Amino acid sequence: MKENIVFIGFMGVGKGTVARALSRKTGMFTLDSDDLIESMENRKIKKIFEQDGEDYFRSIEAKTAKWLSLHVEHTIISTGGGFFKVNELNNIGKVIYLKSSFDGIINRLKAQPNATAKFKKRPLLQDIVKAKELFDSRYPLYEQKADVIIDVEEKDIDTILDTIMEKIK
Ligand code: S3P
């Protein structure tokens, strides 16, 4: 039994924030697919996209998914917004989709103290019209991959954690 928890959802919905808070609450370790990729590649996601393109980045995501499914146990894993497409997703652990509307996500990001940096570091969030199209195309797919769906829009972190704890116990 691997007992991993895997958070999926659109960019900026708060997967990392929720994963870290759940880690503090449960004592389980947490890791993030983008952080793993950045450390393996020794460069930022933005640079990987600029220098080698999105297809290359997706190939590293696939490799990361394989590694997670084979070697990681009892861990909370937050993932990049496109990671849900990897083949192994449901072999890694219980998949929890953090759900919000597009406007809810943009408003959440804009409300952060370092909002400009949060937008800048995400290559697929540079053009807001294209980002909305991406959101619309992914919206139904996240739900298909999810074991559990948590509505996080305008919810505080304690409410989100309580809902997660209730659904995974
Ligand atoms: C991506 C989301 C990003 C990162 C990359 C691509 C996507 O992660 O993996 O920029 O395809 O949605 P976050 O969801 O943490 O922003």
Side-chain angles (χ1 to χ4, degrees), residues 24-86:
R24 278 193 296 276
K25 198 176 174 92
T26 59
M28 287 168 74
F29 274 79
T30 185
L31 51 79
D32 179 90
S33 65
D34 282 344
D35 290 347
L36 288 171
I37 291 170
E38 287 189 343
S39 90
M40 244 192 311
E41 289 277 317
N42 194 26
R43 52 187 174 152
K44 297 287 181 196
I45 303 292
K46 191 169 177 268
K47 268 271 175 298
I48 300 176
F49 269 71
E50 279 166 12
Q51 293 175 335
D52 289 308
E54 182 171 347
D55 287 353
Y56 176 77
F57 174 73
R58 299 299 173 203
S59 74
I60 306 295
E61 279 192 321
K63 191 170 155 183
T64 306
K66 187 152 233 160
W67 177 79
L68 288 168
S69 73
L70 289 174
H71 303 297
V72 174
E73 290 180 357
H74 201 63
T75 296
I76 299 163
I77 300 160
S78 54
T79 64
F83 188 89
F84 74 104
K85 290 197 170 169
V86 298

